[in-house]
Amino acid sequence: MPTPYEQHIGGRNPVDVLRESYEEYRSILPKFTATQWSLPWQPGKWTAQQIMVHVMQWELIMSARLRLGVGQADYTVRPADQDDLMGTEDRVLDGPTAFAAFDGIRRANIVFAAALSPEQRAKKVTHPERGVIDVEDLLVTLAGHGVHHLKQFKTY
């Protein structure tokens, strides 16, 4: 099964993509107005605020998966449903706060990912829906997910 969001990486080093997309997030989102945060990116879709909450949640979740994949023997990913996670937090957390949390998590993720050795990136983990994958797969998913949603933010 292909790596989720792999198409947003284009065969590039996911650490470079993490860095570049981080800089784009930092150049776009601090300029958002209250009105922009409240608008859906397309009719019937999530608002910018909801997208930012989602991106922050998954940056946190995927960073934990990445660290557990590197540091824990026989690590198995625990799947999660994005809609279940949005049930409360998207109603109580504003866009700028979600962005601030993302900002710190992404900075830490870049430092951590850049320090990984080729052996660590090749370490095998199990995904219940995808089978045996490696830490590199987790990195690609993390980087690609951020790019996927960055494209949505660029529509505002």
Side-chain angles (χ1 to χ4, degrees), residues 52-117:
M52 193 66 248
V53 168
H54 167 77
V55 169
M56 179 275 303
Q57 288 173 333
W58 284 92
E59 189 79 15
L60 180 62
I61 290 164
M62 288 189 272
S63 69
R65 288 177 176 175
L66 183 64
R67 285 163 175 79
L68 290 165
V70 169
Q72 191 174 43
D74 302 317
Y75 174 63
T76 299
V77 170
R78 181 171 179 185
D81 183 299
Q82 70 180 20
D83 294 324
D84 291 343
L85 295 174
M86 289 295 281
T88 299
E89 199 160 26
D90 68 310
R91 292 190 304 268
V92 298
L93 191 61
D94 63 82
T97 302
F99 173 69
F102 163 83
D103 184 74
I105 298 164
R106 174 58 68 94
R107 280 196 326 264
N109 285 343
I110 290 168
V111 171
F112 182 77
L116 295 176
S117 69

Side-chain angles (χ1 to χ4, degrees), residues 16-78:
D16 293 339
V17 174
L18 286 169
R19 284 187 185 111
E20 290 166 14
S21 62
Y22 172 64
E23 290 306 320
E24 288 188 78
Y25 272 95
R26 290 186 53 147
S27 74
I28 294 170
L29 293 176
K31 298 173 188 171
F32 267 38
T33 65
T35 299
Q36 285 174 298
W37 283 114
S38 69
L39 294 173
W41 74 279
Q42 284 186 354
K45 300 293 185 178
W46 282 348
T47 65
Q49 174 265 340
Q50 289 171 311
I51 296 167
M52 193 66 248
V53 168
H54 167 77
V55 169
M56 179 275 303
Q57 288 173 333
W58 284 92
E59 189 79 15
L60 180 62
I61 290 164
M62 288 189 272
S63 69
R65 288 177 176 175
L66 183 64
R67 285 163 175 79
L68 290 165
V70 169
Q72 191 174 43
D74 302 317
Y75 174 63
T76 299
V77 170
R78 181 171 179 185

